Amino acid sequence: MARFELKLPKMGESVAEATITNWLKEVGDKIEADEAVLEIATDKVDSEVPSEVTGILVERLFGKDDLVQVGQVIAIIETEGGVETASSFLVDKIADEESTPAEATEIEKTIEGAKEAVAAPQDFSTSEKFFSPLVKNIAKEEGVSVAELDSIQGSGKDGRVTKEDILKYISDRKAGAVAAPKAVVETVKEVAAPKAAEPVVQKSQQAVPVSVNGGDEIIEMDRMRKLISGYMVASVQTSAHVQSFIEVDVTNIVKWRDKVKTAFEKREGEKLTFTPIMMEAVAKALKDFPGMNISVDGDYIIKKKNINLGMAAALPNGNLIVPVIKNADQLNLVGMAKAVNDLGGRAKAGKLKPDDTQGGTYTVTNVGTFGSVFGTPIINQPQVGILALGAIRKVPAVIETPEGDFIGIRQKMFLSHSYDHRVVDGALGGSFVKRVAEYLEAFDVNRDF
């Protein structure tokens, strides 16, 4: 018998710890390889931790609600013999299917060739997907590159790649059904954004007593609400918030969307909301004003290479989460709509992955969804700006024409821009939101989607 240490796996570039929310297996239970053992929660999303081996759970080193660091041993699993490798699995499978000894030897040679083909060690942290330790070990054993792993359609929860998925991929690759791995694998790892300071709620010297009578109900904040509370206070304490407001005429956008939304949904299978149109304009403005696409680390300013737009989304329980659209400036309107709908849908269903909320460089929140004309949003640290989209309203407005001015009905909205006055002055903050407005007002009503 062998004892296997189940460790908390790495779940993203900036995810360093997680809280155990539920144990799915009891001591003494049999566990299959790649089967979920426990559920965990990071600062924003929930996930599962699968077992790398088949065996019996003999010890749980942490309890429910305990905080665990990435890499810490969380459970002990007792196994019979060693861990099955993908090489032995494929050879045994051939033998089980009455393959000849020559065929078994040939597959072993092919496996060794695949190992030698990828001489450089694989850095799975460059992927935005989460892979279990077992899947990563098989990938290393069989010379499967990070790019290949990313291309595999997983059959596990939330599209996670399982043991069966990667073994089928390896089998198909040997049969020539998929492309072989490249000899040299280039890995490009972005410099992680500095971790925001831990939220600290400062208590006043003299706490104000709260009066509670017999008719009041006392409810403890849930885990996410406590985190949100801490982050909001920490952001206000960290950044010097200042706001700029601008009113935008979006009549052309409203007319265009009304004209194409049915055809868009029929062709793309996606609903076309106003959000991706606004996101497209924000991404363009960030390219024009890279000084808004930064973060602050002490006395240093970090200019971000990628434009990753966070989009604030409400959860069913009333809490808030900010999934991130990666490389938003590289998406056309169709791609932006698909990304917005995908992240928004998974947020409502509670199926976001840890990396879905990481790496944002600027955030947009749609306060108009709840009928607000405008708002003063709090910056999502360590970013330096956040844009609030107000409700679109029909209002009387002065329309200038060559024949003179007249009053007409127009569709208008307010953009509210909060920015960090430590590093963003009024000229930059105001110019940026004005550029967003210019892109929206210059929207081409004859464009295709």
Side-chain angles (χ1 to χ4, degrees), residues 113-120 122 142-148 169 173 178-187:
K115 293 178 187 177
E116 295 174 359
V118 184
Q122 299 299 304
E142 302 303 330
V144 177
S145 69
V146 178
E148 288 178 286
Y169 176 83
R173 193 175 70 180
V178 295
K182 295 180 180 180
V184 179
V185 178
E186 296 180 353
T187 57

Side-chain angles (χ1 to χ4, degrees), residues 91-363:
V91 174
D92 290 345
K93 185 175 181 181
I94 291 174
D96 291 342
E97 295 175 355
E98 299 182 353
S99 300
T100 64
E103 289 173 325
T105 302
E106 182 63 27
I107 197 67
E108 285 180 323
K109 290 180 179 179
T110 304
I111 290 171
E112 290 303 317
K115 293 178 187 177
E116 295 174 359
V118 184
Q122 299 299 304
D123 182 3
F124 295 101
S125 66
T126 61
S127 173
E128 294 183 356
K129 291 185 176 180
F130 167 72
F131 300 108
S132 69
L134 176 62
V135 169
K136 288 192 284 190
N137 282 345
I138 294 175
K140 292 176 182 177
E141 181 80 16
E142 302 303 330
V144 177
S145 69
V146 178
E148 288 178 286
L149 268 184
D150 283 338
S151 69
I152 298 175
Q153 296 296 320
S155 61
K157 181 180 179 182
D158 299 334
R160 181 166 54 82
V161 176
T162 65
K163 170 186 172 183
E164 288 71 23
D165 294 330
I166 190 170
L167 290 177
K168 182 179 183 302
Y169 176 83
I170 294 169
S171 179
D172 290 344
R173 193 175 70 180
K174 298 301 182 287
V178 295
K182 295 180 180 180
V184 179
V185 178
E186 296 180 353
T187 57
V188 180
K189 187 175 182 181
E190 294 183 9
V191 178
K195 186 176 179 182
E198 292 294 329
V200 178
V201 180
Q202 295 181 349
K203 297 182 180 179
S204 60
Q205 296 297 324
Q206 294 181 344
V208 178
V210 178
S211 176
V212 178
N213 59 41
D216 295 337
E217 182 181 3
I218 301 175
I219 302 173
E220 183 180 3
M221 294 182 187
D222 60 25
R223 181 187 62 85
M224 184 170 286
R225 177 48 56 187
K226 291 177 182 177
L227 288 168
I228 293 173
S229 174
Y231 287 135
M232 294 301 98
V233 172
S235 181
V236 173
Q237 293 173 343
T238 300
S239 297
H241 282 62
V242 66
Q243 283 83 26
S244 292
F245 305 93
I246 191 166
E247 191 174 26
V248 191
D249 189 331
V250 292
T251 305
N252 288 343
I253 293 176
V254 174
K255 289 181 177 179
W256 180 83
R257 176 180 172 272
D258 288 342
K259 180 178 68 174
V260 306
K261 64 181 181 181
T262 301
F264 185 93
E265 185 173 2
K266 183 177 180 180
R267 193 184 85 176
E268 302 297 337
E270 300 280 350
K271 290 186 178 298
L272 179 61
T273 65
F274 289 110
T275 301
I277 300 174
M278 306 296 173
M279 289 291 201
E280 182 185 54
V282 172
K284 288 180 179 179
L286 285 172
K287 290 192 73 172
D288 295 341
F289 294 95
M292 287 304 310
N293 199 53
I294 65 173
S295 63
V296 181
D297 182 19
D299 294 332
Y300 296 92
I301 296 173
I302 301 172
K303 293 183 176 180
K304 296 297 185 178
K305 176 183 178 181
N306 299 324
I307 294 177
N308 299 332
L309 288 183
M311 46 172 278
L315 295 174
N317 61 6
N319 288 325
L320 191 70
I321 198 167
V322 186
V324 177
I325 301 173
K326 306 292 175 61
N327 297 309
D329 58 313
Q330 299 178 19
L331 299 176
N332 59 17
L333 187 58
V334 173
M336 190 74 78
K338 289 181 180 292
V340 167
N341 292 344
D342 171 58
L343 290 173
R346 288 195 287 123
K348 291 179 181 178
K351 294 184 178 180
L352 288 174
K353 302 172 186 177
D355 275 351
D356 288 331
T357 61
Q358 305 298 325
T361 60
Y362 188 88
T363 297

Side-chain angles (χ1 to χ4, degrees), residues 1 29-30 39 50 116 127 142 167 176 212 232 245 252 284 302 322 353 389 410 414 418 423 435-436 439 444:
M1 303 293 285
D29 287 352
K30 180 175 175 57
E39 294 176 339
E116 295 174 359
S127 173
E142 302 303 330
L167 290 177
V212 178
M232 294 301 98
F245 305 93
N252 288 343
K284 288 180 179 179
I302 301 172
V322 186
K353 302 172 186 177
L389 309 174
R410 306 294 290 177
F414 281 99
S418 294
V423 291
R435 183 61 54 85
V436 175
Y439 279 128
D444 183 5

Side-chain angles (χ1 to χ4, degrees), residues 10 60 84 98 109 139 269 337 379 417:
K10 186 174 182 179
R60 300 193 313 199
E84 182 185 50
E98 299 182 353
K109 290 180 179 179
I379 297 168
H417 187 210

